[in-house]
Short mmCIF file of all heavy atoms in Angstrom, two decimals:
data_model
loop_
_atom_site.label_atom_id
_atom_site.label_comp_id
_atom_site.label_asym_id
_atom_site.label_seq_id
_atom_site.Cartn_x
_atom_site.Cartn_y
_atom_site.Cartn_z
N PRO D 1 80.57 244.42 108.55
CA PRO D 1 81.17 243.94 109.77
C PRO D 1 81.76 242.70 109.71
O PRO D 1 81.47 241.80 108.87
CB PRO D 1 79.86 243.92 110.77
CG PRO D 1 78.90 244.72 110.04
CD PRO D 1 79.20 244.70 108.61
N THR D 2 82.73 242.39 110.52
CA THR D 2 83.49 241.02 110.66
C THR D 2 83.67 240.66 112.01
O THR D 2 83.75 241.53 112.92
CB THR D 2 84.76 241.21 109.85
OG1 THR D 2 85.39 239.87 109.79
CG2 THR D 2 85.73 242.14 110.50
N SER D 3 83.80 239.41 112.26
CA SER D 3 84.16 238.94 113.60
C SER D 3 85.50 238.21 113.59
O SER D 3 86.07 237.91 114.58
CB SER D 3 83.07 238.05 114.24
OG SER D 3 82.91 236.85 113.32
N GLU D 4 85.93 237.75 112.37
CA GLU D 4 87.08 236.93 112.21
C GLU D 4 88.16 237.54 111.37
O GLU D 4 89.29 237.83 111.80
CB GLU D 4 86.81 235.56 111.68
CG GLU D 4 85.87 234.73 112.59
CD GLU D 4 86.65 234.34 113.83
OE1 GLU D 4 87.78 234.02 113.83
OE2 GLU D 4 85.97 234.35 114.89
N SER D 5 87.89 237.79 110.11
CA SER D 5 88.88 238.25 109.20
C SER D 5 88.33 239.09 108.06
O SER D 5 87.06 239.06 107.86
CB SER D 5 89.77 237.13 108.60
OG SER D 5 88.98 236.30 107.79
N ILE D 6 89.20 239.88 107.42
CA ILE D 6 88.77 240.56 106.20
C ILE D 6 89.57 240.17 105.01
O ILE D 6 90.65 239.72 105.17
CB ILE D 6 88.95 242.08 106.41
CG1 ILE D 6 90.29 242.48 106.78
CG2 ILE D 6 87.91 242.53 107.42
CD1 ILE D 6 90.51 243.94 106.82
N THR D 7 88.98 240.21 103.80
CA THR D 7 89.64 239.83 102.63
C THR D 7 89.90 241.04 101.78
O THR D 7 88.94 241.81 101.50
CB THR D 7 88.85 238.79 101.84
OG1 THR D 7 88.64 237.62 102.64
CG2 THR D 7 89.58 238.33 100.53
N ILE D 8 91.12 241.23 101.35
CA ILE D 8 91.44 242.44 100.53
C ILE D 8 91.57 241.99 99.04
O ILE D 8 92.38 241.23 98.71
CB ILE D 8 92.71 243.04 100.95
CG1 ILE D 8 92.76 243.33 102.41
CG2 ILE D 8 93.08 244.29 100.12
CD1 ILE D 8 91.65 244.38 102.86
N GLN D 9 90.83 242.59 98.25
CA GLN D 9 90.82 242.52 96.79
C GLN D 9 91.02 243.88 96.15
O GLN D 9 90.13 244.67 96.45
CB GLN D 9 89.55 241.81 96.16
CG GLN D 9 89.47 240.33 96.75
CD GLN D 9 88.33 239.52 96.08
OE1 GLN D 9 87.38 240.16 95.70
NE2 GLN D 9 88.48 238.28 96.20
N SER D 10 91.98 244.05 95.34
CA SER D 10 92.29 245.41 94.85
C SER D 10 93.02 245.24 93.49
O SER D 10 93.93 244.38 93.33
CB SER D 10 93.21 246.15 95.86
OG SER D 10 93.62 247.37 95.24
N GLU D 11 92.58 246.04 92.51
CA GLU D 11 93.24 246.13 91.27
C GLU D 11 94.68 246.55 91.41
O GLU D 11 95.52 246.20 90.61
CB GLU D 11 92.45 247.00 90.27
CG GLU D 11 91.11 246.53 89.92
CD GLU D 11 91.17 245.19 89.23
OE1 GLU D 11 92.05 244.92 88.28
OE2 GLU D 11 90.25 244.27 89.51
N GLU D 12 94.94 247.46 92.40
CA GLU D 12 96.32 247.87 92.67
C GLU D 12 97.31 246.73 92.95
O GLU D 12 98.36 246.77 92.63
CB GLU D 12 96.34 248.89 93.83
CG GLU D 12 95.83 250.23 93.48
CD GLU D 12 96.70 250.98 92.50
OE1 GLU D 12 97.86 250.93 92.54
OE2 GLU D 12 96.08 251.69 91.67
N LEU D 13 96.73 245.62 93.58
CA LEU D 13 97.59 244.53 93.86
C LEU D 13 98.05 243.83 92.66
O LEU D 13 99.12 243.21 92.64
CB LEU D 13 96.78 243.56 94.79
CG LEU D 13 96.83 243.87 96.27
CD1 LEU D 13 95.75 242.97 97.02
CD2 LEU D 13 98.17 243.74 96.88
N LEU D 14 97.32 244.01 91.48
CA LEU D 14 97.76 243.35 90.29
C LEU D 14 98.91 244.20 89.67
O LEU D 14 99.72 243.70 88.89
CB LEU D 14 96.57 243.41 89.33
CG LEU D 14 95.35 242.50 89.78
CD1 LEU D 14 94.22 242.64 88.78
CD2 LEU D 14 95.74 241.07 90.01
N LYS D 15 99.03 245.38 90.08
CA LYS D 15 100.10 246.31 89.62
C LYS D 15 101.36 246.33 90.46
O LYS D 15 102.53 246.28 89.90
CB LYS D 15 99.57 247.80 89.38
CG LYS D 15 98.39 247.87 88.53
CD LYS D 15 97.94 249.32 88.61
CE LYS D 15 96.65 249.45 87.86
NZ LYS D 15 96.11 250.88 88.07
N GLU D 16 101.15 246.31 91.73
CA GLU D 16 102.26 246.37 92.67
C GLU D 16 101.84 245.96 94.02
O GLU D 16 100.62 245.91 94.33
CB GLU D 16 102.78 247.85 92.76
CG GLU D 16 101.82 248.85 93.04
CD GLU D 16 102.35 250.29 92.90
OE1 GLU D 16 103.49 250.57 93.32
OE2 GLU D 16 101.66 251.10 92.28
N LYS D 17 102.75 245.66 94.87
CA LYS D 17 102.53 245.20 96.23
C LYS D 17 102.10 246.44 97.03
O LYS D 17 102.60 247.53 96.90
CB LYS D 17 103.74 244.58 96.91
CG LYS D 17 104.33 243.42 96.10
CD LYS D 17 103.46 242.31 95.95
CE LYS D 17 104.02 241.07 95.28
NZ LYS D 17 103.51 240.82 93.99
N LEU D 18 101.10 246.18 97.98
CA LEU D 18 100.56 247.23 98.85
C LEU D 18 101.01 246.96 100.29
O LEU D 18 101.01 245.72 100.72
CB LEU D 18 99.04 247.24 98.72
CG LEU D 18 98.39 247.66 97.43
CD1 LEU D 18 96.95 247.62 97.57
CD2 LEU D 18 98.86 249.06 97.07
N ASN D 19 101.23 248.00 101.04
CA ASN D 19 101.47 247.90 102.44
C ASN D 19 100.14 248.40 103.18
O ASN D 19 99.41 249.16 102.51
CB ASN D 19 102.62 248.80 102.94
CG ASN D 19 103.93 248.26 102.42
OD1 ASN D 19 104.22 247.14 102.58
ND2 ASN D 19 104.75 249.23 101.85
N TYR D 20 99.88 247.85 104.29
CA TYR D 20 98.75 248.29 105.00
C TYR D 20 99.03 248.62 106.49
O TYR D 20 100.02 248.04 107.03
CB TYR D 20 97.64 247.29 104.97
CG TYR D 20 97.85 246.00 105.71
CD1 TYR D 20 97.44 245.99 107.07
CD2 TYR D 20 98.43 244.92 105.13
CE1 TYR D 20 97.68 244.83 107.76
CE2 TYR D 20 98.66 243.75 105.81
CZ TYR D 20 98.21 243.77 107.19
OH TYR D 20 98.44 242.59 107.98
N ILE D 21 98.26 249.44 107.08
CA ILE D 21 98.26 249.72 108.56
C ILE D 21 96.77 249.50 109.00
O ILE D 21 95.88 249.98 108.25
CB ILE D 21 98.87 251.00 108.95
CG1 ILE D 21 98.14 252.20 108.42
CG2 ILE D 21 100.31 251.01 108.74
CD1 ILE D 21 98.52 253.55 108.94
N LEU D 22 96.61 248.94 110.20
CA LEU D 22 95.24 248.77 110.79
C LEU D 22 95.35 249.60 112.04
O LEU D 22 96.15 249.26 112.92
CB LEU D 22 95.00 247.27 111.05
CG LEU D 22 93.66 247.00 111.54
CD1 LEU D 22 92.49 247.31 110.48
CD2 LEU D 22 93.46 245.46 111.92
N VAL D 23 94.49 250.46 112.14
CA VAL D 23 94.37 251.51 113.28
C VAL D 23 93.13 251.33 114.02
O VAL D 23 91.96 251.25 113.29
CB VAL D 23 94.63 252.93 112.82
CG1 VAL D 23 94.60 253.92 113.95
CG2 VAL D 23 95.86 253.00 112.01
N SER D 24 93.12 251.30 115.33
CA SER D 24 91.85 251.23 116.04
C SER D 24 91.16 252.58 115.98
O SER D 24 91.64 253.56 115.66
CB SER D 24 92.10 250.85 117.49
OG SER D 24 92.86 251.85 118.15
N GLY D 25 89.87 252.57 116.44
CA GLY D 25 89.05 253.80 116.31
C GLY D 25 89.66 254.99 117.19
O GLY D 25 89.40 256.08 116.95
N ASP D 26 90.38 254.59 118.25
CA ASP D 26 91.17 255.60 119.06
C ASP D 26 92.52 256.06 118.54
O ASP D 26 93.15 256.69 119.23
CB ASP D 26 91.13 255.16 120.54
CG ASP D 26 91.88 253.92 120.86
OD1 ASP D 26 92.30 253.40 119.89
OD2 ASP D 26 92.03 253.61 122.01
N GLY D 27 92.88 255.54 117.40
CA GLY D 27 94.03 255.98 116.81
C GLY D 27 95.26 255.24 116.97
O GLY D 27 96.35 255.61 116.59
N LYS D 28 95.18 254.09 117.72
CA LYS D 28 96.33 253.10 118.07
C LYS D 28 96.64 252.10 116.88
O LYS D 28 95.71 251.61 116.37
CB LYS D 28 96.13 252.36 119.25
CG LYS D 28 96.03 253.36 120.54
CD LYS D 28 95.75 252.52 121.80
CE LYS D 28 95.57 253.40 122.93
NZ LYS D 28 95.18 252.74 124.14
N LEU D 29 97.89 252.08 116.46
CA LEU D 29 98.27 251.20 115.45
C LEU D 29 98.16 249.76 116.06
O LEU D 29 98.83 249.52 117.12
CB LEU D 29 99.70 251.49 115.00
CG LEU D 29 100.36 250.45 114.04
CD1 LEU D 29 99.59 250.58 112.67
CD2 LEU D 29 101.79 250.77 113.83
N VAL D 30 97.43 248.84 115.46
CA VAL D 30 97.30 247.56 115.94
C VAL D 30 97.89 246.49 115.04
O VAL D 30 98.16 245.38 115.56
CB VAL D 30 95.81 247.20 116.26
CG1 VAL D 30 95.19 248.03 117.32
CG2 VAL D 30 94.94 247.25 114.96
N LYS D 31 98.17 246.86 113.78
CA LYS D 31 98.76 245.85 112.96
C LYS D 31 99.17 246.54 111.64
O LYS D 31 98.69 247.50 111.23
CB LYS D 31 97.79 244.71 112.58
CG LYS D 31 98.32 243.57 111.85
CD LYS D 31 97.36 242.45 111.74
CE LYS D 31 98.05 241.24 111.09
NZ LYS D 31 97.30 240.03 111.17
N ARG D 32 100.32 246.04 111.11
CA ARG D 32 100.81 246.54 109.81
C ARG D 32 101.35 245.30 109.06
O ARG D 32 101.64 244.33 109.63
CB ARG D 32 101.86 247.62 110.02
CG ARG D 32 103.23 247.12 110.54
CD ARG D 32 104.28 248.10 110.48
NE ARG D 32 103.96 249.25 111.29
CZ ARG D 32 104.29 250.50 111.12
NH1 ARG D 32 104.91 250.82 109.91
NH2 ARG D 32 103.94 251.46 111.87
N GLY D 33 101.43 245.41 107.77
CA GLY D 33 101.91 244.35 107.00
C GLY D 33 101.94 244.73 105.51
O GLY D 33 101.81 245.84 105.10
N ARG D 34 102.20 243.72 104.73
CA ARG D 34 102.30 243.79 103.30
C ARG D 34 101.24 242.86 102.59
O ARG D 34 101.16 241.64 103.06
CB ARG D 34 103.78 243.55 102.78
CG ARG D 34 103.94 243.70 101.39
CD ARG D 34 105.36 243.45 100.97
NE ARG D 34 105.66 244.14 99.77
CZ ARG D 34 106.34 245.26 99.57
NH1 ARG D 34 107.06 245.66 100.61
NH2 ARG D 34 106.52 245.76 98.40
N LEU D 35 100.51 243.37 101.68
CA LEU D 35 99.61 242.51 100.87
C LEU D 35 100.44 242.07 99.58
O LEU D 35 100.90 242.90 98.80
CB LEU D 35 98.38 243.26 100.51
CG LEU D 35 97.59 243.83 101.67
CD1 LEU D 35 96.50 244.81 101.11
CD2 LEU D 35 97.03 242.62 102.35
N THR D 36 100.52 240.80 99.48
CA THR D 36 101.35 240.19 98.36
C THR D 36 100.39 239.61 97.31
O THR D 36 100.98 239.18 96.19
CB THR D 36 102.38 239.29 98.85
OG1 THR D 36 101.68 238.19 99.58
CG2 THR D 36 103.32 239.97 99.80
N GLN D 37 99.20 239.35 97.54
CA GLN D 37 98.32 238.68 96.58
C GLN D 37 96.92 239.17 96.67
O GLN D 37 96.46 239.55 97.75
CB GLN D 37 98.39 237.16 96.72
CG GLN D 37 97.89 236.73 98.06
CD GLN D 37 98.07 235.13 98.20
OE1 GLN D 37 98.59 234.54 97.33
NE2 GLN D 37 97.67 234.71 99.29
N ASN D 38 96.20 239.15 95.62
CA ASN D 38 94.87 239.56 95.54
C ASN D 38 94.02 238.54 96.34
O ASN D 38 94.17 237.39 96.20
CB ASN D 38 94.32 239.73 94.16
CG ASN D 38 93.26 240.76 94.00
OD1 ASN D 38 92.98 241.47 94.99
ND2 ASN D 38 92.75 240.83 92.86
N GLY D 39 93.05 238.90 97.13
CA GLY D 39 92.30 238.06 98.02
C GLY D 39 92.93 237.59 99.25
O GLY D 39 92.47 236.73 100.00
N GLN D 40 93.98 238.31 99.65
CA GLN D 40 94.70 238.07 100.92
C GLN D 40 93.77 238.43 102.11
O GLN D 40 93.11 239.41 102.09
CB GLN D 40 95.98 238.73 101.00
CG GLN D 40 96.84 238.42 102.18
CD GLN D 40 98.28 239.01 102.12
OE1 GLN D 40 98.77 239.30 100.98
NE2 GLN D 40 98.84 239.34 103.26
N GLN D 41 93.86 237.53 103.21
CA GLN D 41 93.09 237.82 104.39
C GLN D 41 93.91 238.45 105.47
O GLN D 41 95.15 238.09 105.58
CB GLN D 41 92.42 236.46 104.92
CG GLN D 41 91.35 236.01 103.96
CD GLN D 41 90.49 234.92 104.48
OE1 GLN D 41 90.98 234.33 105.56
NE2 GLN D 41 89.41 234.67 104.05
N ILE D 42 93.24 239.25 106.24
CA ILE D 42 93.86 239.87 107.53
C ILE D 42 93.05 239.36 108.61
O ILE D 42 91.89 239.54 108.73
CB ILE D 42 93.95 241.38 107.35
CG1 ILE D 42 94.74 241.85 106.26
CG2 ILE D 42 94.34 241.92 108.71
CD1 ILE D 42 94.65 243.34 106.01
N ASN D 43 93.65 238.66 109.51
CA ASN D 43 93.02 238.12 110.66
C ASN D 43 92.64 239.11 111.83
O ASN D 43 93.71 239.80 112.18
CB ASN D 43 93.80 236.93 111.34
CG ASN D 43 93.10 236.20 112.41
OD1 ASN D 43 92.18 236.66 112.95
ND2 ASN D 43 93.69 235.06 112.87
N MET D 44 91.49 239.30 112.22
CA MET D 44 91.12 240.32 113.12
C MET D 44 90.55 239.65 114.42
O MET D 44 90.07 240.34 115.30
CB MET D 44 90.18 241.31 112.57
CG MET D 44 90.73 242.16 111.43
SD MET D 44 89.67 243.49 110.92
CE MET D 44 89.59 244.48 112.36
N SER D 45 90.62 238.39 114.58
CA SER D 45 89.91 237.68 115.66
C SER D 45 90.51 238.01 117.01
O SER D 45 89.84 237.90 118.01
CB SER D 45 89.99 236.16 115.36
OG SER D 45 91.26 235.66 115.41
N ARG D 46 91.76 238.41 116.97
CA ARG D 46 92.36 238.73 118.42
C ARG D 46 92.09 240.19 118.87
O ARG D 46 92.49 240.51 119.95
CB ARG D 46 93.83 238.45 118.39
CG ARG D 46 94.66 239.31 117.55
CD ARG D 46 96.12 239.02 117.52
NE ARG D 46 96.76 240.19 116.87
CZ ARG D 46 98.06 240.31 116.95
NH1 ARG D 46 98.79 239.48 117.57
NH2 ARG D 46 98.60 241.36 116.37
N PHE D 47 91.52 240.95 118.02
CA PHE D 47 91.14 242.37 118.41
C PHE D 47 89.82 242.45 118.99
O PHE D 47 88.90 241.69 118.63
CB PHE D 47 91.32 243.27 117.13
CG PHE D 47 92.67 243.17 116.53
CD1 PHE D 47 92.74 242.96 115.09
CD2 PHE D 47 93.80 243.29 117.19
CE1 PHE D 47 93.89 242.77 114.47
CE2 PHE D 47 95.07 243.26 116.48
CZ PHE D 47 95.06 242.97 115.18
N GLY D 48 89.54 243.39 119.93
CA GLY D 48 88.40 243.60 120.55
C GLY D 48 87.32 244.18 119.56
O GLY D 48 87.68 244.75 118.39
N GLY D 49 86.09 244.14 119.95
CA GLY D 49 85.03 244.70 119.09
C GLY D 49 85.11 246.21 118.98
O GLY D 49 85.65 246.89 119.86
N GLY D 50 84.74 246.84 117.91
CA GLY D 50 84.76 248.31 117.66
C GLY D 50 85.09 248.63 116.30
O GLY D 50 85.06 247.90 115.25
N LEU D 51 85.45 249.93 116.13
CA LEU D 51 85.71 250.46 114.82
C LEU D 51 87.21 250.50 114.57
O LEU D 51 87.93 250.78 115.47
CB LEU D 51 85.25 251.95 114.85
CG LEU D 51 85.47 252.75 113.51
CD1 LEU D 51 84.69 252.12 112.38
CD2 LEU D 51 85.01 254.19 113.76
N TYR D 52 87.57 250.12 113.26
CA TYR D 52 88.97 250.13 112.84
C TYR D 52 89.07 250.75 111.52
O TYR D 52 88.10 250.84 110.76
CB TYR D 52 89.50 248.69 112.84
CG TYR D 52 89.62 247.97 114.12
CD1 TYR D 52 88.54 247.37 114.75
CD2 TYR D 52 90.79 248.01 114.77
CE1 TYR D 52 88.66 246.76 115.96
CE2 TYR D 52 90.92 247.40 116.05
CZ TYR D 52 89.82 246.84 116.61
OH TYR D 52 89.92 246.22 117.83
N PHE D 53 90.27 251.21 111.12
CA PHE D 53 90.58 251.84 109.88
C PHE D 53 91.76 251.00 109.26
O PHE D 53 92.73 250.92 109.86
CB PHE D 53 90.89 253.32 109.96
CG PHE D 53 89.73 254.06 110.48
CD1 PHE D 53 89.64 254.40 111.80
CD2 PHE D 53 88.65 254.49 109.65
CE1 PHE D 53 88.57 255.14 112.23
CE2 PHE D 53 87.66 255.29 110.11
CZ PHE D 53 87.56 255.54 111.52
N LEU D 54 91.56 250.63 107.94
CA LEU D 54 92.57 249.94 107.19
C LEU D 54 93.07 250.92 106.13
O LEU D 54 92.31 251.28 105.22
CB LEU D 54 92.10 248.63 106.64
CG LEU D 54 93.12 247.83 105.74
CD1 LEU D 54 94.14 247.26 106.62
CD2 LEU D 54 92.38 246.84 104.85
N ALA D 55 94.31 251.26 106.21
CA ALA D 55 94.84 252.22 105.23
C ALA D 55 95.82 251.41 104.28
O ALA D 55 96.68 250.68 104.78
CB ALA D 55 95.56 253.36 105.82
N LEU D 56 95.69 251.56 102.96
CA LEU D 56 96.55 250.95 102.02
C LEU D 56 97.49 251.97 101.35
O LEU D 56 97.16 253.10 101.10
CB LEU D 56 95.71 250.26 100.87
CG LEU D 56 94.66 249.27 101.31
CD1 LEU D 56 93.96 248.71 100.05
CD2 LEU D 56 95.35 248.12 102.13
N TYR D 57 98.74 251.47 101.24
CA TYR D 57 99.74 252.44 100.69
C TYR D 57 100.55 251.63 99.63
O TYR D 57 100.81 250.41 99.76
CB TYR D 57 100.80 252.84 101.71
CG TYR D 57 100.16 253.72 102.77
CD1 TYR D 57 99.55 253.19 103.91
CD2 TYR D 57 100.16 255.09 102.69
CE1 TYR D 57 98.99 253.93 104.86
CE2 TYR D 57 99.61 255.91 103.59
CZ TYR D 57 99.06 255.25 104.75
OH TYR D 57 98.43 256.10 105.66
N ALA D 58 100.97 252.29 98.57
CA ALA D 58 101.84 251.79 97.55
C ALA D 58 102.97 252.80 97.38
O ALA D 58 102.76 253.95 97.09
CB ALA D 58 101.15 251.61 96.19
N ASN D 59 104.18 252.30 97.51
CA ASN D 59 105.43 253.24 97.36
C ASN D 59 105.26 254.39 98.22
O ASN D 59 105.60 255.58 97.80
CB ASN D 59 105.64 253.62 95.88
CG ASN D 59 105.91 252.38 95.00
OD1 ASN D 59 106.60 251.55 95.39
ND2 ASN D 59 105.39 252.39 93.78
N LYS D 60 104.85 254.23 99.44
CA LYS D 60 104.67 255.27 100.51
C LYS D 60 103.68 256.31 100.06
O LYS D 60 103.64 257.40 100.67
CB LYS D 60 106.09 255.89 100.73
CG LYS D 60 107.09 254.99 101.30
CD LYS D 60 108.34 255.68 101.68
CE LYS D 60 109.35 254.63 102.26
NZ LYS D 60 110.62 255.29 102.62
N GLN D 61 102.79 256.00 99.22
CA GLN D 61 101.73 256.94 98.84
C GLN D 61 100.41 256.33 99.16
O GLN D 61 100.21 255.12 98.87
CB GLN D 61 101.80 257.28 97.32
CG GLN D 61 103.05 258.10 96.99
CD GLN D 61 102.91 258.63 95.53
OE1 GLN D 61 101.96 258.43 94.85
NE2 GLN D 61 103.89 259.44 95.15
N PHE D 62 99.50 257.14 99.77
CA PHE D 62 98.18 256.59 100.17
C PHE D 62 97.39 256.15 98.98
O PHE D 62 97.48 256.82 97.87
CB PHE D 62 97.47 257.77 100.86
CG PHE D 62 96.05 257.47 101.11
CD1 PHE D 62 95.63 256.67 102.17
CD2 PHE D 62 95.06 258.08 100.33
CE1 PHE D 62 94.31 256.47 102.29
CE2 PHE D 62 93.74 257.81 100.55
CZ PHE D 62 93.38 257.05 101.61
N VAL D 63 96.73 255.07 99.10
CA VAL D 63 95.88 254.45 98.02
C VAL D 63 94.45 254.60 98.44
O VAL D 63 93.60 255.17 97.66
CB VAL D 63 96.25 253.00 97.76
CG1 VAL D 63 95.26 252.37 96.58
CG2 VAL D 63 97.67 252.91 97.20
N GLN D 64 94.08 253.99 99.58
CA GLN D 64 92.68 253.96 99.97
C GLN D 64 92.56 253.66 101.46
O GLN D 64 93.45 252.92 102.02
CB GLN D 64 91.99 252.93 99.19
CG GLN D 64 90.48 252.97 99.28
CD GLN D 64 89.75 252.16 98.26
OE1 GLN D 64 90.41 251.46 97.46
NE2 GLN D 64 88.44 252.14 98.29
N THR D 65 91.49 254.08 102.17
CA THR D 65 91.20 253.70 103.43
C THR D 65 89.84 253.10 103.53
O THR D 65 88.92 253.45 102.81
CB THR D 65 91.15 254.98 104.44
OG1 THR D 65 92.41 255.51 104.37
CG2 THR D 65 90.79 254.63 105.85
N PHE D 66 89.72 252.01 104.45
CA PHE D 66 88.48 251.37 104.66
C PHE D 66 88.06 251.42 106.08
O PHE D 66 88.91 251.36 106.99
CB PHE D 66 88.53 249.85 104.26
CG PHE D 66 88.89 249.57 102.81
CD1 PHE D 66 90.26 249.47 102.44
CD2 PHE D 66 87.96 249.57 101.93
CE1 PHE D 66 90.68 249.27 101.08
CE2 PHE D 66 88.28 249.28 100.58
CZ PHE D 66 89.51 249.25 100.23
N ARG D 67 86.80 251.62 106.38
CA ARG D 67 86.29 251.60 107.77
C ARG D 67 85.73 250.16 108.00
O ARG D 67 85.01 249.57 107.19
CB ARG D 67 85.21 252.57 107.95
CG ARG D 67 84.75 252.75 109.38
CD ARG D 67 83.71 253.77 109.43
NE ARG D 67 82.67 253.73 108.40
CZ ARG D 67 81.56 254.44 108.51
NH1 ARG D 67 81.28 255.30 109.35
NH2 ARG D 67 80.65 254.18 107.58
N ILE D 68 86.20 249.57 109.10
CA ILE D 68 86.01 248.17 109.40
C ILE D 68 85.24 248.13 110.80
O ILE D 68 85.80 248.71 111.74
CB ILE D 68 87.04 247.28 109.39
CG1 ILE D 68 87.77 247.33 108.01
CG2 ILE D 68 86.72 245.81 109.78
CD1 ILE D 68 89.20 246.81 108.04
N ILE D 69 84.12 247.44 110.90
CA ILE D 69 83.50 247.26 112.24
C ILE D 69 83.77 245.88 112.70
O ILE D 69 83.37 244.91 111.92
CB ILE D 69 81.97 247.51 112.15
CG1 ILE D 69 81.78 248.97 111.76
CG2 ILE D 69 81.32 247.15 113.46
CD1 ILE D 69 80.27 249.29 111.46
N ARG D 70 84.44 245.68 113.77
CA ARG D 70 84.88 244.35 114.35
C ARG D 70 83.78 244.01 115.35
O ARG D 70 83.67 244.73 116.34
CB ARG D 70 86.19 244.37 114.88
CG ARG D 70 86.53 243.22 115.83
CD ARG D 70 86.73 241.90 115.04
NE ARG D 70 87.37 240.99 115.91
CZ ARG D 70 86.76 240.12 116.70
NH1 ARG D 70 85.56 240.01 116.70
NH2 ARG D 70 87.51 239.23 117.44
N THR D 71 82.97 242.94 115.10
CA THR D 71 81.98 242.60 116.07
C THR D 71 82.49 241.60 117.03
O THR D 71 83.49 240.93 116.77
CB THR D 71 80.73 241.83 115.29
OG1 THR D 71 81.22 240.80 114.70
CG2 THR D 71 80.05 242.89 114.40
N LYS D 72 81.97 241.54 118.18
CA LYS D 72 82.37 240.57 119.25
C LYS D 72 81.93 239.15 118.93
O LYS D 72 80.86 239.01 118.21
CB LYS D 72 81.87 240.94 120.59
CG LYS D 72 82.37 242.36 121.10
CD LYS D 72 81.78 242.71 122.35
CE LYS D 72 82.23 244.07 122.81
NZ LYS D 72 81.68 244.52 124.06
N ASN D 73 82.70 238.27 119.30
CA ASN D 73 82.36 236.83 118.96
C ASN D 73 81.21 236.40 119.82
O ASN D 73 80.99 236.63 120.96
CB ASN D 73 83.57 235.89 119.26
CG ASN D 73 84.65 236.09 118.27
OD1 ASN D 73 84.59 236.96 117.36
ND2 ASN D 73 85.69 235.42 118.39
#
């Protein structure tokens, strides 16, 4: 669980840049972006508490999905 941000560390980032989408538990896209370095953080402090899914893509191909629980402050 997180209340502020998540840190992404991936061996794929050492090979190529990854794109990500962050989707709320009800399926709404809440954020998208590009990961350019290993250990990059994604700020989640402005989102409400609940379940989120972070999907990583490289060259438009799915790499991995993470389930994230955002706790209320």
